[in-house]
Amino acid sequence: MSVVTLEKCRENIRKQLDNVVDFWLKYSLDRVHGGFFTCIGKDGKIYDELKYVWLQGRQVWMYCRLYRTMDRFHKPEILEAATVGGAFLRKFARVSSSSGQWKCAFCLTRDGKALKVQRTIFSECFYIMAMDELSRLTVEENFPKQLFSEQMMEQLIYWVQVDPSGLGRPQLPGEVPINSLSVPMMLMCLVQQLTEGRGQEVAQKYKELGNWCVEQILQHIQRAGTAILENVSVDGSELPGCQGRLQNPGHALEAGWFLMLYGAQSGDKEIHRTAIRNFVELPYQYGWDKEHGGLFYFLDVDGHCPTQLEWSMKLWWPHCEALIAFLMAYSHTRKPELLEIFSEVYQYTFSHFPDAENGEWFGYLTQEGKVALDFKGGPFKGFFHVPRCLYMCERILDDLLENKD
């Protein structure tokens, strides 16, 4: 890509971000009960009123981040959406578990009644992200949002590192403890969130956890560095069966840019090289569909057909993570081959996912790249991966173009 092409790329990304923000501001906010509708059809119609806590937290975080860091989004309607969503989240998301600890629901009714609780940490993770980012915008004496996020974080650390029984999962006789890539990834994301701009005292508080996350993520480099596996044993060895052979290129790429940020911030050059080599370049090499283009959703490291029915589909979020990962890798190294791959991913993504007629992006394509599910939001697709990708890529491109010499 030439400088001129990078400028056109930035212009397109900027327009896409404006379009996506406008879509969600127009259709998503529930002005009656608070929070956000996320089950939104291709033309903006709400097709289900259930509210998913993952997506509520992500949307609050994204609005706050845009409002706080980009001048053109420093608008009252974005602040209003963030604060209304945050109020709904803090009022209804937390439910008491059987152990007496606070869990966050996975799904709520429109008016905030808990409908389903998952036995995982992810609703809590996105609650923490939302509360911490919101605390950077608003100050309320009766609502210590930062304290809420820190208290929930301590509970998460306890569940992950000490005793998971508070999650509510029974210990079954055939169960083998695993290290799932998503857990240390998510905790690393939270460490980066909670420490950003908070000073040395907070950075030191979470330093040990950040190092632990890196160690756990690196365990997923398997087969002499030729594969990233989604699940490994707690001692870092390969697991048997489909679970052990599973690969998720999108997750690996997301872990890659998390590790790049860690390496850049800590000055650890070896981690930075590993992030690019093993978690960015490698997942692209085995995850890119050479016939139809795009990233496969799941793969089996031994070439068996994955058991996930959607394995061959092209989903929005792995492509978002690939765009961030390759553009960040190029910005850190200036290696032209990384920019070439970014360009390939960019061309595929922007020619397949955006909906020029109704706005926003489709999320689920067939292997051949045709729209399979035409809604714009659902139980797992909300206002997060697309705007975060566009936001981050725009900022990286700003930096590249300002320092092009």
Side-chain angles (χ1 to χ4, degrees):
M1 275 187 170
S2 66
V3 171
V4 173
T5 308
L6 284 176
E7 288 177 345
K8 289 182 178 179
C9 175
R10 180 177 63 176
E11 181 182 354
N12 186 32
I13 284 173
R14 184 185 176 100
K15 288 179 179 177
Q16 285 288 325
L17 180 55
D18 291 347
N19 172 275
V20 170
V21 171
D22 289 345
F23 183 95
W24 288 87
L25 284 174
K26 182 176 181 179
Y27 298 116
S28 180
L29 184 63
D30 183 351
R31 296 187 178 277
V32 177
H33 294 285
F36 307 110
F37 298 115
T38 61
C39 294
I40 303 177
K42 67 177 181 180
D43 55 0
K45 290 186 175 65
I46 308 302
Y47 64 85
D48 196 317
E49 294 181 345
L50 295 180
K51 294 174 180 174
Y52 296 88
V53 171
W54 285 31
L55 304 188
Q56 302 293 310
R58 287 168 162 179
Q59 193 157 346
V60 170
W61 179 88
M62 194 70 246
Y63 280 142
C64 291
R65 182 57 63 110
L66 290 170
Y67 182 87
R68 184 169 68 87
T69 63
M70 279 191 154
D71 289 345
R72 75 179 187 275
F73 295 118
H74 199 79
K75 299 178 179 179
E77 59 267 34
I78 291 179
L79 179 60
E80 178 198 13
T83 53
V84 168
F88 181 87
L89 197 62
R90 75 177 189 261
K91 184 175 182 180
F92 297 116
R94 296 187 304 162
V95 295
S96 181
S97 71
S98 58
S99 65
Q101 298 172 316
W102 285 105
K103 276 285 291 164
C104 284
F106 172 71
C107 184
L108 306 169
T109 61
R110 181 182 178 183
D111 58 355
K113 296 182 181 68
L115 194 62
K116 180 179 179 180
V117 175
Q118 284 187 325
R119 296 169 179 179
T120 67
I121 65 169
F122 301 112
S123 290
E124 290 78 13
C125 288
F126 296 115
Y127 177 90
I128 291 168
M129 282 180 65
M131 292 299 104
D132 182 77
E133 190 65 26
L134 190 59
S135 75
R136 298 165 187 267
L137 293 188
T138 59
V139 178
E140 303 171 40
E141 291 182 3
N142 296 324
F143 177 42
K145 296 176 282 294
Q146 187 181 352
L147 179 61
F148 281 6
S149 61
E150 290 175 354
Q151 289 174 340
M152 185 68 80
M153 185 67 172
E154 294 306 310
Q155 186 168 282
L156 275 190
I157 296 169
Y158 181 79
W159 284 338
V160 171
Q161 294 188 332
V162 181
D163 180 8
S165 62
L167 294 172
R169 289 198 301 263
Q171 187 69 38
L172 301 175
E175 183 181 6
V176 177
I178 67 168
N179 170 6
S180 173
L181 181 58
S182 58
V183 172
M185 274 179 60
M186 196 65 238
L187 288 179
M188 173 173 274
C189 179
L190 292 179
V191 168
Q192 292 169 344
Q193 172 69 36
L194 293 171
T195 58
E196 181 189 352
R198 298 289 193 193
Q200 282 301 311
E201 184 177 346
V202 176
Q204 194 62 34
K205 176 181 178 181
Y206 292 111
K207 182 178 180 180
E208 184 178 340
L209 177 61
N211 293 339
W212 178 87
C213 291
V214 172
E215 292 172 1
Q216 296 294 303
I217 292 171
L218 294 181
Q219 286 187 349
H220 292 263
I221 304 174
Q222 294 288 320
R223 303 197 177 189
T226 64
I228 302 295
L229 300 181
E230 187 72 7
N231 305 297
V232 295
S233 72
V234 292
D235 64 0
S237 56
E238 190 172 331
L239 294 166
C242 296
Q243 182 184 45
R245 297 194 305 268
L246 183 66
Q247 294 183 290
N248 182 332
H251 250 169
L253 286 156
E254 188 176 15
W257 69 261
F258 286 3
L259 287 172
M260 271 190 279
L261 288 179
Y262 175 90
Q265 291 164 1
S266 65
D268 192 325
K269 294 181 180 179
E270 183 55 36
I271 289 293
H272 194 272
R273 284 192 290 268
T274 299
I276 295 174
R277 180 182 64 244
N278 294 96
F279 287 90
V280 178
E281 294 177 311
L282 182 61
Y284 164 81
Q285 290 165 10
Y286 63 69
W288 190 258
D289 183 344
K290 294 174 179 58
E291 181 179 0
H292 300 288
L295 289 161
F296 288 111
Y297 195 23
F298 293 110
L299 291 167
D300 182 296
V301 70
D302 286 339
H304 299 289
C305 180
T307 56
Q308 289 78 10
L309 301 182
E310 71 276 27
W311 73 269
S312 64
M313 292 178 69
K314 310 296 169 57
L315 271 64
W316 82 106
W317 71 263
H319 296 80
C320 289
E321 303 311 321
L323 289 169
I324 298 169
F326 277 102
L327 191 58
M328 185 182 293
Y330 172 72
S331 74
H332 289 184
T333 65
R334 304 301 173 103
K335 292 182 178 179
E337 61 268 26
L338 296 171
L339 188 59
E340 288 173 11
I341 298 174
F342 168 78
S343 179
E344 182 178 26
V345 178
Y346 174 88
Q347 294 297 334
Y348 180 89
T349 301
F350 284 87
S351 63
H352 286 80
F353 290 102
D355 179 0
E357 180 180 355
N358 295 297
E360 235 279 345
W361 288 20
F362 298 112
Y364 302 84
L365 310 180
T366 66
Q367 181 177 354
E368 295 76 23
K370 299 183 182 300
V371 175
L373 307 174
D374 68 3
F375 54 74
K376 299 298 171 51
F380 297 99
K381 183 181 183 294
F383 184 70
F384 184 63
H385 284 99
V386 174
R388 182 177 70 168
C389 166
L390 298 170
Y391 161 81
M392 292 188 67
C393 287
E394 182 179 334
R395 288 170 67 91
I396 295 170
L397 286 165
D398 284 344
D399 184 64
L400 284 168
L401 289 166
E402 287 172 12
N403 300 283
K404 59 192 174 193
D405 296 331

